[in-house]
């Protein structure tokens, strides 16, 4: 492998320092101005109330504190007032920040570390697909990912789903490296937001069973029980309180499913259309899971990406920041398309990603200027639709075994 010149290495180091310093400064300014951060405050207030005051994070007192602090959240549509809806095991992520007495410093640290997690997630997704893009292509595509609505809004709000996205990429990296015990432990940690990853977790467990990777399943179950036990030390009856929230999830989370959008646009047929979409996508997932359960890693990777892309459309109530998980399949699909079509694939990717980027931000700015309230519901569709089209476009190329050169030579001799 050729060595990079000292000048190139120096430029890379200086750029990295500049980006990291800029991230710290931006994080500090956002925290100092108390801008955004609604999803951070929900987690921080709830966990700190338990640690400092001994109050259950699900109590009315905590809900009142959250409403006093969080006056606005980015959602697809108006809905219930903000409340703590995470399982208590999510407190294991938030706990170190609640021990910081200065709220501004705690949020600054949260933002800085989340920015690092976002960048590491992108790098991990590139490694999952062995993607080594041309420098000019990477310079163009990275801002379209980092400044996309799902990434920038999620980071600005301090979404806990940034940690979940990093864990999802880490699980697939561990599976790629055949470190199944580590994959099981990390998979258990993704359950800090179960409604966001439940379908993907089910697929990983089905694939592990089909591949007889029992260590992954064992460590997942064992560590999930351990996390649940640790959470019980904080709130002994948390499973019952959390199950009550899950059972009535639509009462805690604003409208954000395709069915909600259809009902907003077409009140007469919207509910039926949403149900039909859920059934169709559910059947597609079941078929693809069955086909992939005993297949190779590339097939597993493709089906895992499909599951992440379909999850926002399946009908489970989620908040807009859950679309952060689309970054992982987005990068992998980009790599698959470029691997298949090389030069033409690059332009298809740039045009498609650019159109989705522009469409989402135009809808946001238009809705902020007082346009029709239902317009923002259109944000539910662009990124998942782009991913689904890309995934099925490269399906055959991705999942079929790559032919060996000797096989091609033998075939040419027979002909």
């Amino acid at each position: 492998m050729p060595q990079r010149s000292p000048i190139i290495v120096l430029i890379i180091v200086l750029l990295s320092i500049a980006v990291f310093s800029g991230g710290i400064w931006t994080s500090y300014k956002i925290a100092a101005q108390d801008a955004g951060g609604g999803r951070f405050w929900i987690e921080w207030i709830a966990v700190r109330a338990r640690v400092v005051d001994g109050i259950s994070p699900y109590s009315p007192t905590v809900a009142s504190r959250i409403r006093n602090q969080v006056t606005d959240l980015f959602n697809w549509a108006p809905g219930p007032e903000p409340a703590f809806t995470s399982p208590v095991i999510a407190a294991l992520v938030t706990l170190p920040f609640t021990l910081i007495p200065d709220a501004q410093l705690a949020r600054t640290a949260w933002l800085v570390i989340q920015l690092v997690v976002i960048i590491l997630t992108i790098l991990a997704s590139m490694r999952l697909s062995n993607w080594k893009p041309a420098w000019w292509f990477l310079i163009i595509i990275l801002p379209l990912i980092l400044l996309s609505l799902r990434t920038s809004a999620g980071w600005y709000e301090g979404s806990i789903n940034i940690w979940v996205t990093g864990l999802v990429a880490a699980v697939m990296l561990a599976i790629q490296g055949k470190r199944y015990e580590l994959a099981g432990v990390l998979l258990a940690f993704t359950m800090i937001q179960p409604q966001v990853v439940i379908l993907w977790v089910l697929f990983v467990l089905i694939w592990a069973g089909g591949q007889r990777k029992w260590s992954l399943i064992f460590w997942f179950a064992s560590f999930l029980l351990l996390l649940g036990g640790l959470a019980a030390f904080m709130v002994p009856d948390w499973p019952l309180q959390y199950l009550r929230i899950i059972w009535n999830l639509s009462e805690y989370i604003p409208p954000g499913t395709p069915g909600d959008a259809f009902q907003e646009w077409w009140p007469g047929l919207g509910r039926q259309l949403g149900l039909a979409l859920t059934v169709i996508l559910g059947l597609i997932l079941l078929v693809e899971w069955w086909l992939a359960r005993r297949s190779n890693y590339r097939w597993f990777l493709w089906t895992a990406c499909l599951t992440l892309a379909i999850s926002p459309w399946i009908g489970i109530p989620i908040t807009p920041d859950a679309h952060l998980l689309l970054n992982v399949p987005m990068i992998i699909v980009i790599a698959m398309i470029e691997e298949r079509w090389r030069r033409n694939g690059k332009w298809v990717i740039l045009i498609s990603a650019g159109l989705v980027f522009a469409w989402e931000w135009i809808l946001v700015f238009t809705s902020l200027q007082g346009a029709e309230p239902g317009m923002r519901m259109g944000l539910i569709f662009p990124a998942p639709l782009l991913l689904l089209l890309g995934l099925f476009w490269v399906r055959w190329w991705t999942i079929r075994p790559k032919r060996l050169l000797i096989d091609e030579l033998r075939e040419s001799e027979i002909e």
Side-chain angles (χ1 to χ4, degrees), residues 133-205:
W135 64 268
W136 66 267
F137 182 70
L138 189 63
I139 288 175
I140 298 174
I141 201 67
L142 274 183
L144 295 178
I145 296 172
L146 288 172
L147 300 178
S148 65
L149 177 66
R150 62 186 176 278
T151 304
S152 54
W155 181 71
Y156 181 72
E157 293 285 355
S159 171
I160 196 171
N161 282 314
I162 291 176
W163 310 103
V164 178
T165 306
L167 287 166
V168 165
V171 168
M172 292 199 284
L173 269 181
I175 292 174
Q176 184 185 55
K178 303 186 186 302
R179 302 178 66 181
Y180 299 111
E181 296 84 358
L182 176 61
V185 171
L186 295 173
L187 189 65
F189 265 113
T190 65
M191 294 296 284
I192 60 176
Q193 292 291 286
Q195 73 274 15
V196 174
V197 295
I198 187 63
L199 293 177
W200 178 79
V201 169
L202 282 175
F203 167 66
V204 173
L205 294 175

Side-chain angles (χ1 to χ4, degrees), residues 313-331:
W313 280 9
I314 205 71
I316 300 173
I318 56 174
T319 51
D321 54 306
H323 281 221
L324 275 162
L325 274 80
L326 298 179
N327 279 347
V328 176
M330 181 75 72
I331 295 169

Side-chain angles (χ1 to χ4, degrees), residues 23-38:
I24 294 175
W25 182 83
T26 304
S27 300
Y28 172 76
K29 295 297 290 185
I30 290 175
Q33 296 174 9
D34 198 20

Side-chain angles (χ1 to χ4, degrees), residues 92-110:
L92 298 175
V93 175
T94 316
L95 183 61
F97 299 91
T98 62
L99 300 178
I100 302 175
D102 187 329
Q104 180 180 324
L105 179 60
R107 190 181 170 208
T108 302
W110 179 274

Side-chain angles (χ1 to χ4, degrees), residues 20 76 157 188 235 244 284-285 352 382 413:
F20 189 66
W76 305 140
E157 293 285 355
V235 183
R244 191 178 300 116
I284 290 173
L285 275 185
S352 302
E413 289 176 359

Side-chain angles (χ1 to χ4, degrees), residues 69 80 91 128 153 177 185 223 291 308 328 354 356 385 409 411:
Q69 173 66 37
L128 280 170
V185 171
F223 215 77
L291 294 174
L308 290 171
V328 176
V356 170
L385 178 61
L409 291 175
E411 185 176 313

